[in-house]
Amino acid sequence: MACSLQGVRSGFRSVNKFCVSTKLTNFRSYYLYSPEPFHPLPDRLPQKNTAEEAVQVIQSGFRVFVHGAAATPVPLIEALCQHGLKAGLRNVELLHIHTEGPGTYNKPEYEGIFRSNSLFLAANARKAVMDGRADVIPVFLCEIPLLFRENKIPLDVALISITPPDKHGFCSLGPSVDCTRAAIQNAKYIIGMANRHLPRTIGDGIIHQSHVDTIVECDYPLHELKKGELSPEELKIGKLIAEHLVEDGATLQMGIGSIPDAVLAQLNDHKDLGVHSEMFSDGVVELVENGCITNAKKNIETGSIISSFAVGTKKLYDFMDDNPFVEMCDVSFTNSTAVICQNPKVTAINSCIEVDLTGQVCADSIGEKMYSGFGGQIDFIRGAALGLDGRGKPIIAMPSTTKRGESKIVNMLKNGSGVVTTRAHVHYIVTEYGIAYLFGKNIRQRAYELIRLAHPDHRERLEKEAFERMKCMPSP
């Protein structure tokens, strides 16, 4: 592989391990050691290659970061999978948050070639994890960047999506900055898929082309997440939260899914709402267009929507493109409890898989089967609870039953289930049957409040199980 200044990486990266040149030392200067992607490196331009050519640098035993969410670079992934087969690669680790697309590397025929290691599990990786062919790391979303910045997980290569360089040579990470900024600061080699469909976003996701080793020009439609039809139960939950828990001037955090969508759909009569969230979707756009979201009352980045990634439809991506009203930031900032708690009336709305009668919240697994991850739930549950104005509202919301009619409020979590939000962290629990406030309540009182929120078909059984467990009746 030809080498010149291409072989010099910033900061601790020093000399590119894929190239050897005795002349590299002649190019070294103070300015070439900055890992800051905003900083243009003098006289350095990326190579332009096809996807097939670009991934040739990846060798057996490498650890490769893969850009996730809506920015998942599927053409690069597919080229890498083919390279893995043709070159006979072994033990290449792919590290990522949830990725969209088929997740080809997780298919059984790639066992031994690639091993996926999820920092937040997606549907395309669950089967591989259950079969023992892939891994998952339990980690708070806010702490993922530390894994790279403190070199706990060194990165050889980063596969990322970027916008084409502008007239100054700057590219954007688009709708997914999250932990990717930390990855590109620390990876030894960066392959950027320049995609004209990627929205150019403002904030921490700017990288100068001089930090990219190889650019692959690509025309690939973004991954879209269509809004599903909300159930009557979800609409009821949204109405309860909107009418009783979201105040005018509140700073909102929403997870992904139908429950946050249901809440957003009910907020069109609210005023001066702000958004500081690890992610957002289409529901926010309508509230901006209707004048409900102004960000005027926020203390942190007043006037701007703050987020770290976004997944939705083309309408959302068009809204984000070159829009100074939206700042996409490093997740260590968006999800820092020290930052979150400074905003007014922080209202954190998250969902879960099940809750036991003491208030333990499982959100990452179904029994022993890993389903998703910690994500930002506890970051914002804690940030809202610590709100400096004393008016934060940490909310866990869910329908009372699964689609199969099983109660999501249970005496004890399923065997093997993980606790994401502990019973000491939990404050508000909401189902279609009402709102329970658990903070400061003892176990007997919590059981009473939660049984009240359960589906009527399950309340008698839960009362009996609670009595057997506590040796007394649940009561207020």
Side-chain angles (χ1 to χ4, degrees):
M1 186 175 178
C3 235
S4 59
L5 209 55
Q6 298 285 348
V8 181
R9 299 298 296 157
S10 52
F12 68 87
R13 300 166 186 155
S14 64
V15 179
N16 185 331
K17 66 188 283 185
F18 311 119
C19 306
V20 179
S21 172
T22 57
K23 296 182 179 179
L24 281 177
T25 54
N26 297 332
F27 296 107
R28 292 178 180 172
S29 72
Y30 171 82
Y31 297 103
L32 295 182
Y33 287 90
S34 169
E36 175 49 59
F38 277 96
H39 171 229
L41 300 176
D43 302 320
R44 188 173 191 276
L45 291 173
Q47 297 177 353
K48 288 189 177 181
N49 286 312
T50 65
E52 292 73 22
E53 292 168 339
V55 299
Q56 297 297 312
V57 299
I58 297 172
Q59 302 172 19
S60 294
F62 275 22
R63 180 179 284 125
V64 180
F65 176 84
V66 181
H67 206 167
T72 304
V74 170
L76 292 182
I77 292 171
E78 295 300 321
L80 175 58
C81 289
Q82 289 303 308
H83 170 56
L85 288 173
K86 292 176 182 177
L89 299 185
R90 304 296 295 173
N91 303 319
V92 176
E93 180 183 346
L94 302 181
L95 197 79
H96 48 81
I97 59 170
H98 88 275
T99 59
E100 299 291 338
T104 303
Y105 46 85
N106 280 315
K107 293 181 178 179
E109 56 265 37
Y110 291 94
E111 184 174 6
I113 302 175
F114 303 109
R115 191 169 181 92
S116 166
N117 199 352
S118 296
L119 297 156
F120 190 92
L121 197 59
N124 61 20
R126 288 175 193 145
K127 181 69 165 57
V129 170
M130 284 190 287
D131 291 347
R133 294 181 285 104
D135 299 303
V136 59
I137 299 175
V139 61
F140 297 125
L141 197 58
C142 69
E143 292 187 335
I144 294 176
L146 290 178
L147 298 175
F148 308 142
R149 290 181 174 135
E150 296 182 356
N151 213 29
K152 308 289 187 188
I153 300 181
L155 299 173
D156 294 301
V157 178
L159 303 182
I160 63 172
S161 292
I162 54 176
T163 59
D166 65 14
K167 65 180 181 179
H168 300 291
F170 286 98
C171 309
S172 167
L173 296 175
S176 189
V177 176
D178 44 71
C179 60
T180 305
R181 175 176 164 84
I184 62 176
Q185 285 177 308
N186 294 281
K188 299 180 181 72
Y189 194 89
I190 298 173
I191 301 173
M193 187 181 85
N195 185 359
R196 69 175 184 84
H197 291 283
L198 209 69
R200 182 180 184 276
T201 57
I202 311 301
D204 293 335
I206 302 299
I207 177 172
H208 193 267
Q209 65 178 347
S210 58
H211 287 263
V212 180
D213 293 278
T214 298
I215 281 185
V216 176
E217 294 178 342
C218 188
D219 188 4
Y220 188 80
L222 260 64
H223 308 278
E224 294 192 37
L225 181 66
K226 306 290 186 182
K227 289 177 66 175
E229 187 171 344
L230 298 174
S231 70
E233 293 79 13
E234 290 162 347
L235 289 170
K236 178 64 174 174
I237 292 167
K239 189 175 177 65
L240 283 168
I241 293 173
E243 292 184 354
H244 299 283
L245 297 178
V246 180
E247 301 179 53
D248 286 344
T251 304
L252 302 177
Q253 176 262 338
M254 299 78 59
I256 195 167
S258 54
I259 296 293
D261 287 344
V263 176
L264 292 171
Q266 301 285 337
L267 294 177
N268 280 297
D269 291 329
H270 283 64
K271 299 176 182 177
D272 279 332
L273 297 174
V275 175
H276 184 115
S277 180
E278 83 266 31
M279 69 82 56
F280 70 99
S281 194
D282 287 62
V284 165
V285 180
E286 182 179 344
L287 291 177
V288 172
E289 292 172 345
N290 291 346
C292 304
I293 292 176
T294 66
N295 298 295
K297 304 295 185 182
K298 287 169 52 184
N299 296 321
I300 303 296
E301 300 293 340
T302 308
S304 296
I305 290 173
I306 297 299
S307 188
S308 74
F309 73 95
V311 184
T313 66
K314 188 175 184 299
K315 178 181 179 180
L316 174 70
Y317 304 138
D318 289 344
F319 166 76
M320 298 174 69
D321 188 40
D322 264 328
N323 188 349
F325 192 56
V326 179
E327 291 186 40
M328 303 303 289
C329 301
D330 189 307
V331 76
S332 63
F333 170 76
T334 61
N335 285 43
S336 166
T337 54
V339 171
I340 295 164
C341 70
Q342 297 179 57
N343 276 318
K345 305 175 187 175
V346 177
T347 306
I349 305 164
N350 291 270
S351 55
C352 68
I353 292 170
E354 60 181 8
V355 179
D356 81 357
L357 290 179
T358 71
Q360 294 189 112
V361 177
C362 174
D364 67 343
S365 58
I366 302 174
E368 298 175 351
K369 297 179 180 179
M370 296 303 299
Y371 185 79
S372 55
F374 271 63
Q377 181 171 127
I378 197 65
D379 299 337
F380 279 91
I381 289 293
R382 196 62 183 149
L386 295 175
L388 299 185
D389 61 1
R391 299 176 71 175
K393 295 186 177 70
I395 302 166
I396 301 291
M398 61 181 182
S400 63
T401 61
T402 68
K403 292 179 180 178
R404 294 184 295 182
E406 298 173 354
S407 181
K408 299 189 79 165
I409 295 175
V410 295
N411 179 38
M412 293 187 182
L413 299 179
K414 291 182 179 67
N415 185 42
S417 292
V419 175
V420 170
T421 296
T422 75
R423 50 193 166 207
H425 286 103
V426 76
H427 283 226
Y428 292 92
I429 302 285
V430 183
T431 74
E432 69 270 27
Y433 291 102
I435 300 170
Y437 185 63
L438 303 187
F439 184 63
K441 289 185 167 58
N442 60 40
I443 300 299
R444 172 174 51 83
Q445 293 168 325
R446 287 168 176 242
Y448 175 85
E449 292 291 336
L450 289 169
I451 291 170
R452 183 174 60 82
L453 299 190
H455 191 282
D457 292 350
H458 299 284
R459 291 178 188 173
E460 183 178 351
R461 173 183 55 79
L462 287 169
E463 269 196 351
K464 290 178 181 177
E465 291 175 344
F467 181 81
E468 291 173 3
R469 179 177 183 176
M470 300 182 302
K471 305 299 184 285
C472 65
M473 283 297 292
S475 57

